[in-house]
Amino acid sequence: MTTAKALSESALAARVADPGLWAGDPHPHLARLRAEAPLARCEELGLPHFWAVSKHADVLRISRDPSTFCSARGVLLMDLERDLPKIPGALLYLDPPEHATYRRLLNPAFSTSKMRALEADTRARARALIEQVPEGEPVDVVAKLTVPYPLLVIADLLGAPGEDWPRFYEWSDVMIAAATVIDDASIAVLAEMGGYFLDLVAQRRGDPHDDLVTMLCHADIDGQVLSDEELMMFYGQLLVAGNETTRNLLSGGLVTLSEHPEQWQLLRDDPTRLPVAVEEMLRWSTPVISFMRTATRDVELRGRQVREGDPLLLLYTSANRDEDEFGPTADRFDVTRDPNHHVSFGFGEHFCLGAALARIEARVFFEELTARFATVVPAGPVERLESGVIAGITRAPLVFGR
Ligand code: HEM
C-alpha cells in the first residue's frame, strides 16, 4: 500500500516537470496535487528527484527562509542536470549576504520616485502602440503590442535607444535558450550584446545621463567599481527578467479579459479599479510558473522529512489558485478581488526587483486600452509556449471594437 501511494505521489509530482502540462490547462492537475499530495516527492526514473510544492503557505514558508532553502544550487529544474557556472551578480542564484550586496546596487534604479518619473514615457510608449491597433479586425496582440511594449520600456529604463528593441528581443531569446544549450551561434549573438552594452557604458562614462546604465557604471562594491562581466550580467538579467514576464502578464490579462466581457466592462466603467485588477491578472496568469530552492539542512515540512540537498520546486501557479488562501472563489477571475496575496512576484529576499515597474506598465497599458476600446473579443485560437518556467502566449488574435 505504502509503495502504491508513494508511486502515485511521485507520478503526480512528475507531471509538473512535463512542459506539455503547461501548454494546456494545468489547473485540474494542480488542484489534484494540492488535494492529494500537497508536498509531493518525485522519484520517477529518468527525472531528477525533487519535491513539488503546491500550497500557498508552503511557498511563503520556503521563500522567506533562504538560509534553509537556498538559491545558489539552482532555481530551475534544468539546473539539476548541469554544472552551474558561478556568474557574479546573477541575483536569482545568490544567497545572503552576497545577494544583498548586489541587490543594493540595483534598488535605487527601481525606487518609487524613479518609477514615477518613468510613467509618462511608459504611457507614451503604450499609447503609440495602441493607436496602431485597428478597430473591428483581428490583430495578434502578442506581435503588435505585448512583445514591443516591455522592450521599449526596458530600453527607456536602461537609457538605450528605443528603436533598438528588436535587437533586445533577439538577445533576450538567445539568453533564455543559452541557459539550456549554448552553441557557436548563441555565443556570437551574446558577444554582440556584450559589445553593444560596453559601447553604451563607454559613452555614459564620458557623458553621464539620468539612467540605469550610467548609475551602474559608477556603482561600486567596497570602493571597487563593477567589472565588465558584472555590468553585462546586470544588463542581461534585466533584459530577460523584465521582458518575457511582463509580456505574458499583458497577453494573459488581455486574453482573459476577452473571455470575460463583464470584467472588461467593469474596467471601462471605472478605470480606478485597474491597480486592483492588475493584481488579479498577475494571480490569474502567473507569468513565472515556478522557481526552485535547495534544502541546506534536514528539515520537516508538512510532517515530511526533507533532506539536506533536496530540491523543492515552488509552484507559483498552483499557490495562486490555492483555496486555503483565496477561498471558494479561487477559481474565478474577479478584477475586484481585494485583498489578493498572490505570489506571482515571488516572496522574501528574491521578491521581484521590477514588481513596481511591471505594475505601472500593466496599469498604464490597460488604462490606455480601456479608454480607447469599448470591447475586446477572441478571434481565433490562442497559442501557448511549452515551458515549465514561463506561462507564455505566443499568439493571440483578438478583435477590438469602439
Ligand atoms: C509581470 C512581470 C514580472 C513577473 C511575474 C516577475 C516575476 C519574478 C519572480 C517570481 C521573481 C522571484 C525569483 C525567485 O524568488 O527566485 C523575480 C525576480 C526578479 N525580477 Fe521579476 N518579474 C516581473 C517583471 C520584472 C521586471 C519588469 C524586471 C526588471 C526590469 C524584473 C527583474 C527581476 C529581477 C532582477 C529579479 C531577481 C531578484 C532577486 O533575485 O533578488 N522582473 N521576478
mmCIF file of all heavy atoms in Angstrom, residues 347-387:
data_model
loop_
_atom_site.group_PDB
_atom_site.id
_atom_site.type_symbol
_atom_site.label_atom_id
_atom_site.label_comp_id
_atom_site.label_asym_id
_atom_site.label_seq_id
_atom_site.Cartn_x
_atom_site.Cartn_y
_atom_site.Cartn_z
ATOM 1 N N PHE A 347 8.488 35.918 -3.220
ATOM 2 C CA PHE A 347 8.291 36.394 -1.846
ATOM 3 C C PHE A 347 9.645 36.367 -1.144
ATOM 4 O O PHE A 347 10.480 35.529 -1.447
ATOM 5 C CB PHE A 347 7.297 35.456 -1.129
ATOM 6 C CG PHE A 347 6.819 35.969 0.193
ATOM 7 C CD1 PHE A 347 5.864 36.968 0.260
ATOM 8 C CD2 PHE A 347 7.347 35.471 1.383
ATOM 9 C CE1 PHE A 347 5.428 37.459 1.485
ATOM 10 C CE2 PHE A 347 6.917 35.950 2.607
ATOM 11 C CZ PHE A 347 5.949 36.950 2.656
ATOM 12 N N GLY A 348 9.865 37.299 -0.207
ATOM 13 C CA GLY A 348 11.097 37.256 0.597
ATOM 14 C C GLY A 348 12.263 37.946 -0.092
ATOM 15 O O GLY A 348 12.081 38.896 -0.849
ATOM 16 N N GLU A 349 13.463 37.439 0.172
ATOM 17 C CA GLU A 349 14.714 38.076 -0.308
ATOM 18 C C GLU A 349 14.710 38.340 -1.803
ATOM 19 O O GLU A 349 15.246 39.336 -2.260
ATOM 20 C CB GLU A 349 15.911 37.142 -0.036
ATOM 21 C CG GLU A 349 16.164 36.797 1.392
ATOM 22 C CD GLU A 349 16.871 37.924 2.118
ATOM 23 O OE1 GLU A 349 17.719 38.596 1.482
ATOM 24 O OE2 GLU A 349 16.562 38.143 3.288
ATOM 25 N N HIS A 350 14.153 37.390 -2.562
ATOM 26 C CA HIS A 350 14.239 37.493 -4.024
ATOM 27 C C HIS A 350 12.990 38.119 -4.635
ATOM 28 O O HIS A 350 12.824 38.070 -5.863
ATOM 29 C CB HIS A 350 14.469 36.106 -4.635
ATOM 30 C CG HIS A 350 15.834 35.562 -4.354
ATOM 31 N ND1 HIS A 350 16.928 35.855 -5.135
ATOM 32 C CD2 HIS A 350 16.287 34.780 -3.347
ATOM 33 C CE1 HIS A 350 17.999 35.256 -4.638
ATOM 34 N NE2 HIS A 350 17.632 34.595 -3.545
ATOM 35 N N PHE A 351 12.127 38.694 -3.792
ATOM 36 C CA PHE A 351 10.902 39.321 -4.330
ATOM 37 C C PHE A 351 11.290 40.178 -5.527
ATOM 38 O O PHE A 351 12.257 40.947 -5.496
ATOM 39 C CB PHE A 351 10.223 40.181 -3.256
ATOM 40 C CG PHE A 351 8.964 40.840 -3.750
ATOM 41 C CD1 PHE A 351 7.779 40.122 -3.825
ATOM 42 C CD2 PHE A 351 8.968 42.162 -4.182
ATOM 43 C CE1 PHE A 351 6.612 40.724 -4.309
ATOM 44 C CE2 PHE A 351 7.803 42.762 -4.673
ATOM 45 C CZ PHE A 351 6.628 42.037 -4.728
ATOM 46 N N CYS A 352 10.514 40.046 -6.586
ATOM 47 C CA CYS A 352 10.862 40.652 -7.882
ATOM 48 C C CYS A 352 11.300 42.111 -7.757
ATOM 49 O O CYS A 352 10.557 42.965 -7.263
ATOM 50 C CB CYS A 352 9.648 40.570 -8.805
ATOM 51 S SG CYS A 352 9.956 41.384 -10.376
ATOM 52 N N LEU A 353 12.484 42.376 -8.255
ATOM 53 C CA LEU A 353 13.033 43.730 -8.234
ATOM 54 C C LEU A 353 12.198 44.682 -9.095
ATOM 55 O O LEU A 353 12.067 45.862 -8.806
ATOM 56 C CB LEU A 353 14.469 43.663 -8.779
ATOM 57 C CG LEU A 353 15.238 44.940 -8.896
ATOM 58 C CD1 LEU A 353 15.601 45.474 -7.516
ATOM 59 C CD2 LEU A 353 16.507 44.730 -9.703
ATOM 60 N N GLY A 354 11.627 44.147 -10.176
ATOM 61 C CA GLY A 354 10.914 45.002 -11.129
ATOM 62 C C GLY A 354 9.402 45.036 -10.904
ATOM 63 O O GLY A 354 8.664 45.505 -11.779
ATOM 64 N N ALA A 355 8.947 44.586 -9.720
ATOM 65 C CA ALA A 355 7.491 44.484 -9.497
ATOM 66 C C ALA A 355 6.790 45.835 -9.693
ATOM 67 O O ALA A 355 5.748 45.921 -10.359
ATOM 68 C CB ALA A 355 7.212 43.929 -8.105
ATOM 69 N N ALA A 356 7.379 46.901 -9.143
ATOM 70 C CA ALA A 356 6.720 48.223 -9.243
ATOM 71 C C ALA A 356 6.651 48.647 -10.712
ATOM 72 O O ALA A 356 5.628 49.192 -11.169
ATOM 73 C CB ALA A 356 7.473 49.255 -8.428
ATOM 74 N N LEU A 357 7.715 48.368 -11.442
ATOM 75 C CA LEU A 357 7.718 48.742 -12.865
ATOM 76 C C LEU A 357 6.667 47.938 -13.633
ATOM 77 O O LEU A 357 5.897 48.493 -14.434
ATOM 78 C CB LEU A 357 9.115 48.499 -13.461
ATOM 79 C CG LEU A 357 9.257 48.789 -14.950
ATOM 80 C CD1 LEU A 357 8.935 50.250 -15.260
ATOM 81 C CD2 LEU A 357 10.675 48.468 -15.440
ATOM 82 N N ALA A 358 6.633 46.635 -13.388
ATOM 83 C CA ALA A 358 5.652 45.786 -14.089
ATOM 84 C C ALA A 358 4.229 46.241 -13.777
ATOM 85 O O ALA A 358 3.361 46.260 -14.662
ATOM 86 C CB ALA A 358 5.849 44.329 -13.681
ATOM 87 N N ARG A 359 3.990 46.632 -12.526
ATOM 88 C CA ARG A 359 2.638 47.083 -12.146
ATOM 89 C C ARG A 359 2.279 48.374 -12.882
ATOM 90 O O ARG A 359 1.153 48.529 -13.371
ATOM 91 C CB ARG A 359 2.570 47.296 -10.626
ATOM 92 C CG ARG A 359 2.474 45.976 -9.881
ATOM 93 C CD ARG A 359 2.529 46.168 -8.370
ATOM 94 N NE ARG A 359 2.028 44.972 -7.699
ATOM 95 C CZ ARG A 359 2.590 44.415 -6.634
ATOM 96 N NH1 ARG A 359 3.677 44.936 -6.100
ATOM 97 N NH2 ARG A 359 2.051 43.337 -6.102
ATOM 98 N N ILE A 360 3.225 49.297 -12.969
ATOM 99 C CA ILE A 360 2.955 50.551 -13.695
ATOM 100 C C ILE A 360 2.698 50.245 -15.172
ATOM 101 O O ILE A 360 1.745 50.742 -15.775
ATOM 102 C CB ILE A 360 4.141 51.539 -13.556
ATOM 103 C CG1 ILE A 360 4.209 52.048 -12.129
ATOM 104 C CG2 ILE A 360 4.020 52.691 -14.550
ATOM 105 C CD1 ILE A 360 5.414 52.920 -11.833
ATOM 106 N N GLU A 361 3.576 49.422 -15.754
ATOM 107 C CA GLU A 361 3.430 49.086 -17.179
ATOM 108 C C GLU A 361 2.042 48.527 -17.460
ATOM 109 O O GLU A 361 1.380 48.899 -18.428
ATOM 110 C CB GLU A 361 4.459 48.021 -17.592
ATOM 111 C CG GLU A 361 5.821 48.561 -17.880
ATOM 112 C CD GLU A 361 6.768 47.448 -18.324
ATOM 113 O OE1 GLU A 361 6.603 46.922 -19.429
ATOM 114 O OE2 GLU A 361 7.665 47.098 -17.549
ATOM 115 N N ALA A 362 1.615 47.608 -16.598
ATOM 116 C CA ALA A 362 0.331 46.941 -16.836
ATOM 117 C C ALA A 362 -0.829 47.917 -16.627
ATOM 118 O O ALA A 362 -1.756 47.985 -17.439
ATOM 119 C CB ALA A 362 0.193 45.731 -15.918
ATOM 120 N N ARG A 363 -0.768 48.696 -15.560
ATOM 121 C CA ARG A 363 -1.877 49.634 -15.292
ATOM 122 C C ARG A 363 -2.024 50.622 -16.452
ATOM 123 O O ARG A 363 -3.122 50.820 -16.990
ATOM 124 C CB ARG A 363 -1.623 50.378 -13.972
ATOM 125 C CG ARG A 363 -2.622 51.501 -13.720
ATOM 126 C CD ARG A 363 -2.447 52.164 -12.376
ATOM 127 N NE ARG A 363 -1.130 52.697 -12.082
ATOM 128 C CZ ARG A 363 -0.602 53.807 -12.606
ATOM 129 N NH1 ARG A 363 -1.291 54.510 -13.503
ATOM 130 N NH2 ARG A 363 0.605 54.209 -12.260
ATOM 131 N N VAL A 364 -0.897 51.214 -16.858
ATOM 132 C CA VAL A 364 -0.922 52.222 -17.924
ATOM 133 C C VAL A 364 -1.442 51.599 -19.232
ATOM 134 O O VAL A 364 -2.256 52.193 -19.943
ATOM 135 C CB VAL A 364 0.514 52.792 -18.090
ATOM 136 C CG1 VAL A 364 0.699 53.466 -19.419
ATOM 137 C CG2 VAL A 364 0.848 53.718 -16.935
ATOM 138 N N PHE A 365 -0.973 50.407 -19.519
ATOM 139 C CA PHE A 365 -1.367 49.692 -20.740
ATOM 140 C C PHE A 365 -2.887 49.489 -20.778
ATOM 141 O O PHE A 365 -3.548 49.794 -21.772
ATOM 142 C CB PHE A 365 -0.637 48.350 -20.738
ATOM 143 C CG PHE A 365 -0.899 47.445 -21.910
ATOM 144 C CD1 PHE A 365 -0.252 47.648 -23.117
ATOM 145 C CD2 PHE A 365 -1.748 46.347 -21.788
ATOM 146 C CE1 PHE A 365 -0.463 46.786 -24.199
ATOM 147 C CE2 PHE A 365 -1.961 45.482 -22.857
ATOM 148 C CZ PHE A 365 -1.316 45.709 -24.060
ATOM 149 N N PHE A 366 -3.448 49.002 -19.667
ATOM 150 C CA PHE A 366 -4.895 48.740 -19.660
ATOM 151 C C PHE A 366 -5.695 50.039 -19.516
ATOM 152 O O PHE A 366 -6.826 50.112 -19.998
ATOM 153 C CB PHE A 366 -5.250 47.699 -18.587
ATOM 154 C CG PHE A 366 -4.830 46.311 -18.992
ATOM 155 C CD1 PHE A 366 -3.694 45.719 -18.475
ATOM 156 C CD2 PHE A 366 -5.557 45.609 -19.956
ATOM 157 C CE1 PHE A 366 -3.287 44.447 -18.885
ATOM 158 C CE2 PHE A 366 -5.173 44.338 -20.371
ATOM 159 C CZ PHE A 366 -4.030 43.756 -19.835
ATOM 160 N N GLU A 367 -5.131 51.059 -18.901
ATOM 161 C CA GLU A 367 -5.824 52.364 -18.879
ATOM 162 C C GLU A 367 -5.991 52.870 -20.308
ATOM 163 O O GLU A 367 -7.079 53.322 -20.704
ATOM 164 C CB GLU A 367 -5.010 53.393 -18.066
ATOM 165 C CG GLU A 367 -5.233 53.304 -16.568
ATOM 166 C CD GLU A 367 -4.253 54.154 -15.747
ATOM 167 O OE1 GLU A 367 -3.429 54.893 -16.351
ATOM 168 O OE2 GLU A 367 -4.296 54.054 -14.523
ATOM 169 N N GLU A 368 -4.906 52.787 -21.068
ATOM 170 C CA GLU A 368 -4.965 53.292 -22.453
ATOM 171 C C GLU A 368 -5.907 52.442 -23.307
ATOM 172 O O GLU A 368 -6.675 52.965 -24.116
ATOM 173 C CB GLU A 368 -3.551 53.316 -23.055
ATOM 174 C CG GLU A 368 -2.629 54.331 -22.407
ATOM 175 C CD GLU A 368 -3.108 55.776 -22.576
ATOM 176 O OE1 GLU A 368 -3.587 56.108 -23.678
ATOM 177 O OE2 GLU A 368 -3.010 56.559 -21.613
ATOM 178 N N LEU A 369 -5.831 51.138 -23.135
ATOM 179 C CA LEU A 369 -6.673 50.248 -23.959
ATOM 180 C C LEU A 369 -8.160 50.408 -23.644
ATOM 181 O O LEU A 369 -8.988 50.503 -24.556
ATOM 182 C CB LEU A 369 -6.288 48.788 -23.710
ATOM 183 C CG LEU A 369 -5.284 48.163 -24.650
ATOM 184 C CD1 LEU A 369 -4.988 46.745 -24.203
ATOM 185 C CD2 LEU A 369 -5.770 48.155 -26.100
ATOM 186 N N THR A 370 -8.492 50.437 -22.342
ATOM 187 C CA THR A 370 -9.918 50.525 -21.994
ATOM 188 C C THR A 370 -10.471 51.916 -22.333
ATOM 189 O O THR A 370 -11.663 52.058 -22.591
ATOM 190 C CB THR A 370 -10.178 50.199 -20.501
ATOM 191 O OG1 THR A 370 -9.295 50.991 -19.703
ATOM 192 C CG2 THR A 370 -9.972 48.734 -20.195
ATOM 193 N N ALA A 371 -9.597 52.929 -22.349
ATOM 194 C CA ALA A 371 -10.078 54.272 -22.730
ATOM 195 C C ALA A 371 -10.400 54.298 -24.221
ATOM 196 O O ALA A 371 -11.319 54.993 -24.664
ATOM 197 C CB ALA A 371 -9.015 55.317 -22.402
ATOM 198 N N ARG A 372 -9.668 53.529 -25.014
ATOM 199 C CA ARG A 372 -9.815 53.613 -26.470
ATOM 200 C C ARG A 372 -10.882 52.665 -27.023
ATOM 201 O O ARG A 372 -11.549 52.979 -28.000
ATOM 202 C CB ARG A 372 -8.460 53.308 -27.109
ATOM 203 C CG ARG A 372 -8.411 53.539 -28.600
ATOM 204 C CD ARG A 372 -6.983 53.431 -29.096
ATOM 205 N NE ARG A 372 -6.933 53.455 -30.555
ATOM 206 C CZ ARG A 372 -6.851 54.562 -31.269
ATOM 207 N NH1 ARG A 372 -6.802 55.723 -30.684
ATOM 208 N NH2 ARG A 372 -6.812 54.488 -32.605
ATOM 209 N N PHE A 373 -10.974 51.482 -26.418
ATOM 210 C CA PHE A 373 -11.857 50.463 -26.993
ATOM 211 C C PHE A 373 -12.965 50.060 -26.019
ATOM 212 O O PHE A 373 -12.717 49.842 -24.833
ATOM 213 C CB PHE A 373 -11.055 49.223 -27.382
ATOM 214 C CG PHE A 373 -10.077 49.466 -28.496
ATOM 215 C CD1 PHE A 373 -8.715 49.451 -28.252
ATOM 216 C CD2 PHE A 373 -10.527 49.743 -29.784
ATOM 217 C CE1 PHE A 373 -7.806 49.687 -29.284
ATOM 218 C CE2 PHE A 373 -9.628 49.972 -30.819
ATOM 219 C CZ PHE A 373 -8.260 49.952 -30.566
ATOM 220 N N ALA A 374 -14.173 49.917 -26.570
ATOM 221 C CA ALA A 374 -15.325 49.523 -25.736
ATOM 222 C C ALA A 374 -15.365 48.013 -25.530
ATOM 223 O O ALA A 374 -15.876 47.538 -24.519
ATOM 224 C CB ALA A 374 -16.627 49.988 -26.396
ATOM 225 N N THR A 375 -14.842 47.274 -26.506
ATOM 226 C CA THR A 375 -14.930 45.806 -26.422
ATOM 227 C C THR A 375 -13.640 45.146 -26.907
ATOM 228 O O THR A 375 -12.889 45.731 -27.699
ATOM 229 C CB THR A 375 -16.069 45.260 -27.321
ATOM 230 O OG1 THR A 375 -15.807 45.683 -28.667
ATOM 231 C CG2 THR A 375 -17.441 45.737 -26.871
ATOM 232 N N VAL A 376 -13.423 43.936 -26.426
ATOM 233 C CA VAL A 376 -12.351 43.087 -26.972
ATOM 234 C C VAL A 376 -12.880 41.657 -26.929
ATOM 235 O O VAL A 376 -13.412 41.213 -25.904
ATOM 236 C CB VAL A 376 -11.013 43.246 -26.198
ATOM 237 C CG1 VAL A 376 -11.162 43.009 -24.708
ATOM 238 C CG2 VAL A 376 -9.947 42.322 -26.762
ATOM 239 N N VAL A 377 -12.765 40.974 -28.087
ATOM 240 C CA VAL A 377 -13.291 39.600 -28.153
ATOM 241 C C VAL A 377 -12.272 38.669 -28.818
ATOM 242 O O VAL A 377 -11.469 39.109 -29.649
ATOM 243 C CB VAL A 377 -14.643 39.529 -28.935
ATOM 244 C CG1 VAL A 377 -15.762 40.212 -28.176
ATOM 245 C CG2 VAL A 377 -14.502 40.099 -30.332
ATOM 246 N N PRO A 378 -12.327 37.371 -28.459
ATOM 247 C CA PRO A 378 -11.403 36.409 -29.086
ATOM 248 C C PRO A 378 -11.658 36.310 -30.590
ATOM 249 O O PRO A 378 -12.794 36.457 -31.033
ATOM 250 C CB PRO A 378 -11.743 35.081 -28.404
ATOM 251 C CG PRO A 378 -12.520 35.440 -27.176
ATOM 252 C CD PRO A 378 -13.200 36.737 -27.462
ATOM 253 N N ALA A 379 -10.603 36.056 -31.368
ATOM 254 C CA ALA A 379 -10.767 35.957 -32.824
ATOM 255 C C ALA A 379 -9.968 34.794 -33.392
ATOM 256 O O ALA A 379 -9.513 34.846 -34.520
ATOM 257 C CB ALA A 379 -10.338 37.271 -33.482
ATOM 258 N N GLY A 380 -9.785 33.746 -32.598
ATOM 259 C CA GLY A 380 -9.040 32.586 -33.104
ATOM 260 C C GLY A 380 -8.294 31.918 -31.969
ATOM 261 O O GLY A 380 -8.270 32.435 -30.848
ATOM 262 N N PRO A 381 -7.695 30.761 -32.283
ATOM 263 C CA PRO A 381 -7.024 30.006 -31.213
ATOM 264 C C PRO A 381 -5.809 30.751 -30.642
ATOM 265 O O PRO A 381 -5.067 31.395 -31.387
ATOM 266 C CB PRO A 381 -6.579 28.710 -31.903
ATOM 267 C CG PRO A 381 -6.938 28.828 -33.332
ATOM 268 C CD PRO A 381 -7.634 30.119 -33.582
ATOM 269 N N VAL A 382 -5.667 30.620 -29.323
ATOM 270 C CA VAL A 382 -4.512 31.199 -28.632
ATOM 271 C C VAL A 382 -3.421 30.127 -28.610
ATOM 272 O O VAL A 382 -3.696 28.979 -28.291
ATOM 273 C CB VAL A 382 -4.920 31.589 -27.195
ATOM 274 C CG1 VAL A 382 -3.716 31.941 -26.343
ATOM 275 C CG2 VAL A 382 -5.922 32.744 -27.230
ATOM 276 N N GLU A 383 -2.193 30.516 -28.985
ATOM 277 C CA GLU A 383 -1.090 29.539 -28.976
ATOM 278 C C GLU A 383 -0.201 29.789 -27.762
ATOM 279 O O GLU A 383 0.114 30.942 -27.457
ATOM 280 C CB GLU A 383 -0.283 29.646 -30.272
ATOM 281 C CG GLU A 383 -1.084 29.134 -31.453
ATOM 282 C CD GLU A 383 -0.471 29.476 -32.803
ATOM 283 O OE1 GLU A 383 0.743 29.767 -32.882
ATOM 284 O OE2 GLU A 383 -1.242 29.465 -33.794
ATOM 285 N N ARG A 384 0.151 28.682 -27.093
ATOM 286 C CA ARG A 384 0.922 28.806 -25.851
ATOM 287 C C ARG A 384 2.286 28.139 -25.948
ATOM 288 O O ARG A 384 2.473 27.202 -26.725
ATOM 289 C CB ARG A 384 0.136 28.192 -24.682
ATOM 290 C CG ARG A 384 -1.079 29.024 -24.337
ATOM 291 C CD ARG A 384 -1.942 28.423 -23.249
ATOM 292 N NE ARG A 384 -3.227 29.102 -23.212
ATOM 293 C CZ ARG A 384 -3.488 30.196 -22.509
ATOM 294 N NH1 ARG A 384 -2.547 30.731 -21.768
ATOM 295 N NH2 ARG A 384 -4.678 30.763 -22.545
ATOM 296 N N LEU A 385 3.197 28.638 -25.129
ATOM 297 C CA LEU A 385 4.560 28.122 -25.079
ATOM 298 C C LEU A 385 4.591 26.821 -24.275
ATOM 299 O O LEU A 385 3.894 26.707 -23.273
ATOM 300 C CB LEU A 385 5.387 29.176 -24.337
ATOM 301 C CG LEU A 385 6.892 29.164 -24.405
ATOM 302 C CD1 LEU A 385 7.353 29.518 -25.817
ATOM 303 C CD2 LEU A 385 7.446 30.207 -23.416
ATOM 304 N N GLU A 386 5.408 25.872 -24.732
ATOM 305 C CA GLU A 386 5.622 24.664 -23.914
ATOM 306 C C GLU A 386 6.807 24.913 -23.003
ATOM 307 O O GLU A 386 7.949 24.735 -23.402
ATOM 308 C CB GLU A 386 5.923 23.459 -24.813
ATOM 309 C CG GLU A 386 4.691 22.760 -25.272
ATOM 310 C CD GLU A 386 4.928 21.311 -25.690
ATOM 311 O OE1 GLU A 386 5.960 20.714 -25.331
ATOM 312 O OE2 GLU A 386 4.063 20.790 -26.400
ATOM 313 N N SER A 387 6.547 25.373 -21.795
ATOM 314 C CA SER A 387 7.635 25.663 -20.863
ATOM 315 C C SER A 387 7.122 25.485 -19.446
ATOM 316 O O SER A 387 5.977 25.855 -19.154
ATOM 317 C CB SER A 387 8.104 27.110 -21.070
ATOM 318 O OG SER A 387 8.791 27.584 -19.923
#
